[in-house]
Amino acid sequence: MITGTGIVKTFKQRGNVLDKREVRALRGVDFSIPKGGAASFIGESGCGKTTLGRIIAGLETHDEGEIVIDDVAMSSLKPKARQPYFRRIQMIHQDPYSALNPTRTIFQTLQAPLRLRARQTGRDGKWIDERASEVLSLVGLDPGSVLGRYPHQLSGGMRQRVVIARALTVDPEMLVADEAVSMIDVSLRLGILALLKDLRERLGVAVLFITHDVATARYIGDDGDLYVIYRGQVIEHGKVDTVISDPVHPYTQSLLSAIPVLHGLEQPGTQPVVPLSGLDESLSDGGCLFARRCPFHTERCTSELPALGRSEGVPQEHACFYPERRDVVARPMSGV
Amino acid sequence: MSKQAPGVRIDGLTVTYNNLPAVRNVSLELPPGTITGIVGESGSGKSTLALSLLNAVQPPGRIAAGSVEIDEIGNVVEFAAEQIRRVRGSQIGYVFQAAQNSLNPLKTVGKQLLDLGRSHGVEDLRGLVRDAKDLLGRMGLDGARVLDSHQHELSGGMRQRVGIMLALVLNAHLVVLDEPTTALDMITQSTILKIIREVHEERGLTTLVITHDIGVVAEVADRLAVMYGGRLVEQGPTREVLASPQHPYTRGLIRAIPRLTGDIDEAQALPGRPPTLATVPAEGCVFRERCPLRMDVCDTVDPAAEAYGTRIVACHAVKVKEHA
Ligand SMILES: Nc1ncnc2c1ncn2[C@@H]1O[C@H](COP(=O)(O)OP(=O)(O)OP(=O)(O)O)[C@@H](O)[C@H]1O
Ligand SMILES: Nc1ncnc2c1ncn2[C@@H]1O[C@H](COP(=O)(O)OP(=O)(O)OP(=O)(O)O)[C@@H](O)[C@H]1O
Ligand code: SF4
Ligand SMILES: [Mg+2]
Ligand SMILES: [Mg+2]
C-alpha cells in the first residue's frame, strides 16, 4: 500500500534571477494505491502528472507532505534507508526506444539488474538465466527468440514489453507507467494495457498509470481509481468508470468533451463543455484554479477555493462548488 | 493564378528507399473542397505519400512510378526543384511532421514570416502580418507576442500552431497537414481540429490530414484512407468506413481503439506486428501475416484496389464476398 498526503512541489525556474518565477507543480495532492491496485493520473500537459509519478518512485524530492510505503513514513528514514522501498517502485517511461541501451542484447539488459538481485539474495548464474527467461515469458515474449536480439530488431510494442520485463526483475511492488503506451502503435496498444492488468492479477503488482489518453485508463482494470489533476491539484477522484461516465467537475467534463468522437460508431454527448479560454497559468486570487476558464463560474468561484470533498448524491470526490452531471461523453451507437 | 480548391489525383504511385517500396502502387483522389484523412501505424508510409505531393521525398527515397496530378499545377512528379519551390507555400501549404522542431532557432517567428512573404513576392507585408496575427489569434494565441518570439520561447503546442499558421498564411488552396496535433493535449487538439475545419470551409480548400490517430480523422475528415505496409488498403467516406469497415486490417484497427464507454472486452489488440520496409512481403497481400481471413491466393497475389460502391478495398476475401 502506498499513500501520499498533502504532496507539494514547487520548481524554481532557472535563469533570470531578478524575475524568479516559481512553478507550483503540485499543490497538496493526496492519493492512495492499495497493494496490487491501480490508479490513473490524467490531466492536461504540465498539470504535474509526471512530477507526481517521479516523487512516488523516489526520483524527485517534494517540499511538503508525506509518502507512506507499507506503513513506513519515508520522512522518518534517512535517504539511504529509503532506497529499498523506492527500488520496488519501478518507472516505465514513455519512449521504449530510448529506454533500452542499443548496444546491449536483451539478455545483457536483463542481466545487469538480475546480477545485483542474485548477489543480494545469494543466488547463482543459473538463476539469472532462468529468471531472465521467466520475466520475458511474463510479459508475453518468447525468450528463445528475444534474448539474443538487440533493441532495434524488435517492434515498439516488443521493446516496451522488454522495458516492463526489466522492471519485473526486481520484484516490484508497483509499476509507474508514464504515458507507457502513447508511442506504441494503436494495433498493439491494448496488448500492453492487457499485460499491465494481467501483471496486477497474477503477481499482485500495483500499477500507477499516467496518461493524457483517458480511455486507456479503463483498460488496466475497472477497479482502479482515477485522479483528474488540474494545475497541480486533484479536482476529481473516484472509481475510473464512475468518473469517466458521470463526471461532475467542469474541468473533467472539458477534458472528456475534447476526446475525438468516432462519428459513425459513436454518438457525441449532448452537453459538451468547452473551456472559455486556453490554459491560463496566472494565479487566481485564492479562487478555484479553473474559474477563469470555467463556463459555469460564479463570483464565489473567483474568491473562494473549493476543496476536494464529497457532496450529496455524488459517489466521487470533487473540488467544485456546483457539481452537476452533464452528458459529455460519446456513447457507442446502438446497432453497431 | 486561380484561387479555387484544386482536385488531386494520385495514380499508381510507388516510392522507394534504397529500392525498398515504402509506398506501393497507391491511387487516391482528393476531390476539390474535401478533407481527406490518411491513417496508418508508424512506418506505414503516410509521410512518404504526403511528401510526394510536393515531390519532396528525400534521398535515398525516390518516386519510382506513378503520377500526382494537381489541378492548375500539373503533375508534380515531373517538376524540377525550382518549380516546386514556387508552388510550395503559395499554392500548396504544408505542415511537416514534427513541425514543432522545424522553425529557425535564430530568427523570431515574425522574421521568418516576412522571409516567407518576400520569397513568394508578397507585396503587402503588413497585410501578411495582419493575417498571421489573425490566424494565431483564432488558435488561441497572442499573435503579437508569438511573432516576437524565438522558437525556444514557445511550447511544443504553440510551435505546432505556428507551423499551421505558416502553411495557411499565403492563402494556398491545397493544404497538407502531417500529424498536426501529435504534441498537443486533448483540449488544445480539439480547438485546433475545429479551426482546421473552419478555415477549410471559409477558404474553400482541399485538405489532406495525415495521422496515426483515427480519432483525429474521425473528427475532421470527410473521407478516410487507411494505409498498411505502404499500401492503401481501404478508402471511403469517413463515417461509412468507421461504421462498417471492410478490410480486415481496418476492422482490426478500429476494434483495437481503447474506448471511453461500452464493453471493455469488445476492444482487442490486433495479433502480430506491423511490417517494416525490410519485412514487407515482396508478393501477395501485405497484411496476410496478421489476417484472420487469409486464403491461398493471399500468399502469392497482391490484391488490387477495387471499388464497391463508395468504398475502395484491396482484399481478396472482400472481393470473394462481394461477388458471391
Ligand atoms: N525540473 C523542472 N524544473 C522546472 N520546472 C519543472 C521541472 N519539471 C517540471 N516542471 C514544471 O512543473 C509543471 C508540471 O510538469 P510535469 O512534467 O509534471 O507535467 P505533466 O503533467 O507530466 O505534463 P505532460 O503531459 O506534458 O507530460 C510544468 O509546469 C513543468 O514545466
Ligand atoms: N530517409 C529514409 N531512409 C530510409 N528509409 C526511410 C526513410 N524515410 C522513411 N523510411 C522508411 O519508409 C517507411 C515509411 O516511412 P514514413 O515516414 O512514410 O512512415 P509514416 O507512416 O509517416 O510513419 P510515422 O507514423 O512514424 O510518421 C518506414 O519503414 C521508414 O522506416
Ligand atoms: S487479401 Fe487476404 S490476407 Fe490480405 S487482407 Fe484480404 S483476406 Fe487478408
Ligand atoms: Mg509528463
Ligand atoms: Mg510520418
Side-chain angles (χ1 to χ4, degrees):
Chain A
M1 172 99 159
I2 297 166
T3 61
T5 40
I7 305 295
V8 171
K9 176 72 185 180
T10 304
F11 288 107
K12 312 242 179 336
Q13 217 82 339
R14 284 179 299 265
N16 198 338
V17 200
L18 292 175
D19 135 64
K20 62 174 177 218
R21 215 169 76 85
E22 292 195 335
V23 180
R24 301 257 278 153
L26 298 169
R27 305 169 192 251
V29 169
D30 298 347
F31 63 87
S32 163
I33 305 161
K35 188 169 168 46
S40 301
F41 295 161
I42 65 165
E44 261 166 305
S45 181
C47 72
K49 306 181 292 291
T50 295
T51 304
L52 188 50
R54 286 175 53 82
I55 290 171
I56 294 169
L59 301 171
E60 181 79 77
T61 60
H62 51 103
D63 305 326
E64 286 172 44
E66 182 68 87
I67 302 272
V68 178
I69 304 178
D70 292 338
D71 295 326
V72 181
M74 290 300 109
S75 67
S76 70
L77 301 178
K78 296 217 163 62
K80 211 160 164 99
R82 289 175 205 155
Q83 274 179 15
Y85 289 92
F86 284 129
R87 200 171 296 132
R88 301 199 59 208
I89 301 176
Q90 286 284 315
M91 194 119 180
I92 313 284
H93 290 280
Q94 169 170 4
D95 185 359
Y97 297 82
S98 62
L100 297 172
N101 184 332
T103 66
R104 289 191 184 173
T105 64
I106 304 311
F107 178 68
Q108 289 166 331
T109 292
L110 297 174
Q111 196 183 25
L114 282 173
R115 252 206 214 121
L116 188 75
R117 191 101 184 118
R119 213 177 307 137
Q120 286 164 348
T121 52
R123 291 187 170 104
D124 58 6
K126 187 162 154 282
W127 177 83
I128 297 181
D129 294 352
E130 283 170 6
R131 186 71 184 145
S133 297
E134 200 174 303
V135 290
L136 285 178
S137 307
L138 276 171
V139 298
L141 292 175
D142 169 25
S145 76
V146 170
L147 276 169
R149 290 211 234 173
Y150 288 91
H152 73 265
Q153 295 170 310
L154 304 176
S155 72
M158 291 167 89
R159 273 181 249 202
Q160 196 59 294
R161 285 174 194 267
V162 170
V163 174
I164 294 171
R166 182 177 59 186
L168 292 178
T169 57
V170 301
D171 301 314
E173 175 88 25
M174 179 159 87
L175 298 175
V176 177
D178 189 357
E179 305 282 8
V181 296
S182 320
M183 292 180 73
I184 306 286
D185 273 322
V186 188
S187 72
L188 309 174
R189 211 171 271 178
L190 277 175
I192 301 290
L193 294 168
L195 168 63
L196 291 172
K197 185 169 172 220
D198 180 60
L199 292 174
R200 290 184 52 210
E201 285 162 5
R202 280 198 296 161
L203 307 180
V205 182
V207 173
L208 170 55
F209 193 68
I210 297 175
T211 182
H212 65 272
D213 183 0
V214 190
T216 53
R218 298 174 74 209
Y219 293 82
I220 53 165
D222 52 10
D223 57 332
D225 273 20
L226 187 70
Y227 294 81
V228 185
I229 305 180
Y230 184 65
R231 293 177 61 189
Q233 200 183 28
V234 176
I235 53 91
E236 189 156 0
H237 161 231
K239 285 282 162 257
V240 59
D241 273 340
T242 310
V243 177
I244 289 181
S245 57
D246 237 353
V248 296
H249 194 290
Y251 176 66
T252 312
Q253 293 170 346
S254 313
L255 268 186
L256 294 171
S257 301
I259 293 171
V261 176
L262 299 175
H263 298 281
L265 264 186
E266 295 176 333
Q267 229 153 353
T270 54
Q271 301 169 287
V273 175
V274 180
L276 298 175
S277 58
L279 186 59
D280 177 1
E281 303 266 281
S282 63
L283 283 180
S284 56
D285 312 312
C288 170
L289 292 168
F290 189 58
R292 286 186 202 206
R293 302 173 72 192
C294 181
F296 314 107
H297 75 267
T298 66
E299 220 156 283
R300 182 180 179 199
C301 307
T302 55
S303 58
E304 196 183 328
L305 179 71
L308 186 67
R310 288 180 199 282
S311 63
E312 185 86 19
V314 180
Q316 69 266 41
E317 292 185 291
H318 61 84
C320 174
F321 293 126
Y322 310 102
E324 196 173 306
R325 295 200 163 82
R326 292 184 183 89
D327 176 28
V328 295
V329 178
R331 261 160 244 294
M333 263 160 54
S334 44
V336 250
Chain B
M1 187 182 2
S2 124
K3 280 293 184 187
Q4 253 187 5
V8 179
R9 287 162 304 280
I10 301 169
D11 193 29
L13 187 74
T14 295
V15 184
T16 60
Y17 292 101
N18 302 316
N19 295 322
L20 297 171
V23 169
R24 195 154 47 94
N25 194 11
V26 163
S27 298
L28 172 70
E29 197 176 331
L30 312 183
T34 58
I35 304 186
T36 302
I38 298 184
V39 290
E41 297 179 274
S42 180
S44 58
K46 305 182 294 296
S47 295
T48 304
L49 173 59
L51 285 167
S52 308
L53 266 68
L54 270 187
N55 195 354
V57 177
Q58 294 304 307
R62 81 186 178 86
I63 296 177
S67 60
V68 178
E69 194 78 44
I70 305 177
D71 288 348
E72 313 286 338
I73 297 179
N75 179 6
V76 292
V77 167
E78 289 165 358
F79 275 29
E82 175 54 25
Q83 281 171 291
I84 285 294
R85 203 196 60 75
R86 244 179 288 137
V87 295
R88 176 168 154 204
S90 57
Q91 285 174 277
I92 308 176
Y94 204 107
V95 178
F96 292 93
Q97 186 168 2
Q100 68 268 29
N101 304 323
S102 64
L103 292 168
N104 183 336
L106 302 175
K107 292 183 176 177
T108 63
V109 173
K111 186 87 185 32
Q112 291 178 63
L113 172 70
L114 294 178
D115 288 351
L116 178 75
R118 284 195 200 100
S119 73
H120 283 94
V122 173
E123 277 161 21
D124 180 10
L125 290 176
R126 235 172 251 267
L128 184 71
V129 169
R130 201 173 45 236
D131 290 349
K133 279 188 190 162
D134 178 53
L135 281 166
L136 291 168
R138 295 184 57 179
M139 293 190 274
L141 298 178
D142 174 348
R145 184 170 96 72
V146 169
L147 291 182
D148 278 339
S149 302
H150 285 86
Q151 167 194 294
H152 67 91
E153 295 169 287
L154 304 172
S155 73
M158 293 165 104
R159 285 183 220 164
Q160 203 136 19
R161 281 173 274 182
V162 168
I164 295 174
M165 177 275 286
L166 291 172
L168 294 174
V169 74
L170 290 180
N171 233 340
H173 278 236
L174 172 61
V175 172
V176 181
L177 308 163
D178 193 350
E179 304 279 3
T181 60
T182 24
L184 307 177
D185 56 62
M186 290 291 175
I187 294 180
T188 317
Q189 166 172 292
S190 147
T191 317
I192 303 277
L193 293 180
K194 194 163 139 265
I195 290 157
I196 289 174
R197 184 93 237 175
E198 279 171 14
V199 172
H200 169 88
E201 269 154 28
E202 276 164 28
R203 298 193 174 179
L205 307 179
T206 301
T207 303
L208 180 64
V209 177
I210 312 289
T211 174
H212 64 278
D213 184 347
I214 291 199
V216 167
V217 170
E219 276 294 328
V220 297
D222 310 304
R223 299 182 53 80
L224 167 60
V226 182
M227 276 194 97
Y228 187 85
R231 293 281 284 147
L232 256 189
V233 296
E234 179 160 7
Q235 46 175 307
T238 306
R239 282 172 194 240
E240 289 177 26
V241 175
L242 289 176
S244 66
Q246 296 300 308
H247 194 283
Y249 173 64
T250 320
R251 277 193 228 165
L253 189 63
I254 290 172
R255 197 154 180 234
I257 304 173
R259 306 273 289 276
L260 272 181
T261 48
D263 188 355
I264 284 203
D265 297 324
E266 243 168 57
Q268 297 280 329
L270 202 62
R273 52 193 271 206
T276 63
L277 272 199
T279 62
V280 167
E283 54 183 25
C285 171
V286 281
F287 184 62
R288 64 172 187 267
E289 294 295 337
R290 303 172 80 184
C291 181
L293 305 179
R294 178 176 181 174
M295 308 176 288
D296 285 345
V297 62
C298 306
D299 294 352
T300 50
V301 181
D302 190 6
E306 300 208 22
Y308 308 95
T310 57
R311 203 79 61 87
I312 301 175
V313 186
C315 168
H316 292 301
V318 170
K319 182 170 183 174
V320 169
K321 194 180 108 209
E322 289 290 325
H323 290 272

